[in-house]
Amino acid sequence: MKRGDAPLFGLRDRIERQVHGLVGFGEGRVELDSPRGDPGLFGPGSAAWRVHADFTAMLIGGIAALFLQMLHPGALAGVWDHSDFRRDMAKRLRGTAQFISGTTFGPSTEAERLIARVRMIHDHVQGRLPDGTPYSANDPALLTFVHVAEVSSFLAAHLRYREPLMPLPEQDRYLREYAVVAERLGAEDVPKTKREVDGYLAAIRPALRVDARTREVAGALLAEPAPSALLGPLREVAMEAGIDLLPRWAARMHGLDLSEPRRLGVRAGVSGVGRVARWALRDGSAMRARRRVSA
């Protein structure tokens, strides 16, 4: 490293540390380094590793998934009744990021531990909707919706920002692979191809709603501040890119549909932010998993 490069590499380290803090990486809640040689549920040749490897695309997909999930009355009620979303929406993002990271890139025992932990949490997430209808986080149909909202958003982000020409059979392979996690959580009739996912979302649209509670939860997500000034540009670009990634009907339900010029600007912004993130992040989940498997 040349003497003049020191400030640049210091910035690189700061970005990496702050991104890790954003998603809770390094908190000790997810084991990625051992046992050596364990490929986990999927392994390095899987489509799941391929789709989930890029931090920026996954962050954008995760934001889109949250907006999509809160349109379901049951999913919204779970957030409303059983989380402190008004004060710490970032905590929900961290929890989702850690679960996806651990079940995708962790060793088999860690993936199973995380799945069991979520199932235990779901045992306590239940109640009644405003109209009196009971809901439960263990409802297989609700679990399927939450899963489809996530994988459809992650795949859409990967196709837009990392691999636009990913063949359809590989997209289907990704959906088949990660359906295993949804099924182990208790989901049933999980769509496992792109065509099935598209059909599922079209069929469930009449059951989705926006009301005052939806708007408040969406407002909390939109108002969640960047964790630092350094990550401010990432936060701004990722939030708008998540909105841009939504199906147009979902964005219109939220009243967040972007103009075409704004969409183009957001996508250009993601390109720049993504390059910086990939430059800075040298020790992410996928990298640690590859070292574990090759050891």
Side-chain angles (χ1 to χ4, degrees), residues 130-143:
D131 66 2
T133 303
Y135 73 87
S136 169
N138 283 326
D139 176 7
L142 180 55
L143 286 164

Side-chain angles (χ1 to χ4, degrees), residues 153-189:
S153 298
F154 294 149
L155 181 58
H158 181 75
L159 291 171
R160 177 166 296 170
Y161 293 113
R162 297 301 296 148
E163 194 178 357
L165 300 180
M166 185 182 193
L168 182 59
E170 287 298 288
Q171 297 178 43
D172 290 346
R173 183 162 76 101
Y174 164 68
L175 295 169
R176 285 195 305 273
E177 287 175 357
Y178 209 67
V180 168
V181 174
E183 290 170 342
R184 294 188 186 185
L185 287 172
E188 297 177 357
D189 301 320

Side-chain angles (χ1 to χ4, degrees), residues 16-292:
E16 184 174 53
R17 285 196 303 271
Q18 291 185 25
V19 168
H20 285 174
L22 175 66
V23 298
F25 191 68
E27 292 181 351
R29 297 183 183 181
V30 177
E31 174 60 64
L32 295 170
D33 299 321
S34 63
R36 298 293 183 179
D38 187 333
L41 297 183
F42 307 110
S46 67
W49 278 38
R50 182 171 167 183
V51 172
H52 291 177
D54 185 71
F55 166 76
T56 305
M58 288 296 286
L59 176 62
I60 292 166
I63 290 170
L66 288 178
F67 278 115
L68 189 55
Q69 287 167 352
M70 69 180 71
L71 295 175
H72 191 294
L76 176 70
V79 174
W80 186 271
D81 294 340
H82 298 275
S83 74
D84 191 12
F85 69 88
R86 297 175 186 86
R87 295 177 57 186
D88 195 6
M89 182 62 78
K91 182 178 180 181
R92 183 173 174 84
L93 277 170
R94 283 196 299 275
T96 299
Q98 290 170 356
F99 180 80
I100 298 296
S101 172
T103 54
T104 304
F105 298 110
S108 302
T109 52
E110 182 67 356
E112 297 294 355
R113 183 190 71 82
L114 290 167
I115 291 168
R117 180 176 179 272
V118 168
R119 291 194 66 136
M120 182 177 66
I121 292 170
H122 284 176
D123 288 341
H124 304 283
V125 179
Q126 54 188 299
R128 291 189 177 274
L129 303 180
D131 66 2
T133 303
Y135 73 87
S136 169
N138 283 326
D139 176 7
L142 180 55
L143 286 164
T144 297
F145 173 77
V146 170
H147 166 78
V148 171
E150 288 182 347
V151 294
S152 64
S153 298
F154 294 149
L155 181 58
H158 181 75
L159 291 171
R160 177 166 296 170
Y161 293 113
R162 297 301 296 148
E163 194 178 357
L165 300 180
M166 185 182 193
L168 182 59
E170 287 298 288
Q171 297 178 43
D172 290 346
R173 183 162 76 101
Y174 164 68
L175 295 169
R176 285 195 305 273
E177 287 175 357
Y178 209 67
V180 168
V181 174
E183 290 170 342
R184 294 188 186 185
L185 287 172
E188 297 177 357
D189 301 320
V190 179
K192 297 178 181 177
T193 67
K194 184 67 164 53
R195 182 176 180 179
E196 289 177 359
V197 165
D198 292 343
Y200 174 89
L201 289 172
I204 204 168
R205 276 182 61 181
L208 305 182
R209 299 283 185 273
V210 170
D211 58 18
R213 302 203 312 180
T214 319
R215 288 187 285 272
E216 185 167 344
V217 174
L221 177 57
L222 288 165
E224 182 68 29
S228 68
L230 187 60
L231 295 187
L234 171 65
R235 184 262 178 216
E236 295 302 318
V237 168
M239 189 64 67
E240 284 202 286
I243 293 167
D244 176 38
L245 197 68
L246 285 168
R248 298 297 286 268
W249 55 264
R252 287 192 292 268
M253 288 180 72
H254 278 292
L256 295 172
D257 205 11
L258 303 178
S259 68
E260 287 305 316
R262 187 60 196 152
R263 289 177 183 277
L264 294 175
V266 167
R267 295 174 193 184
V270 171
S271 177
V273 166
R275 283 196 297 272
V276 172
R278 285 187 287 277
W279 167 73
L281 298 178
R282 293 152 291 163
D283 192 33
S285 299
M287 300 169 195
R288 285 196 177 186
R290 289 186 185 280
R291 290 200 299 268
R292 182 190 75 244

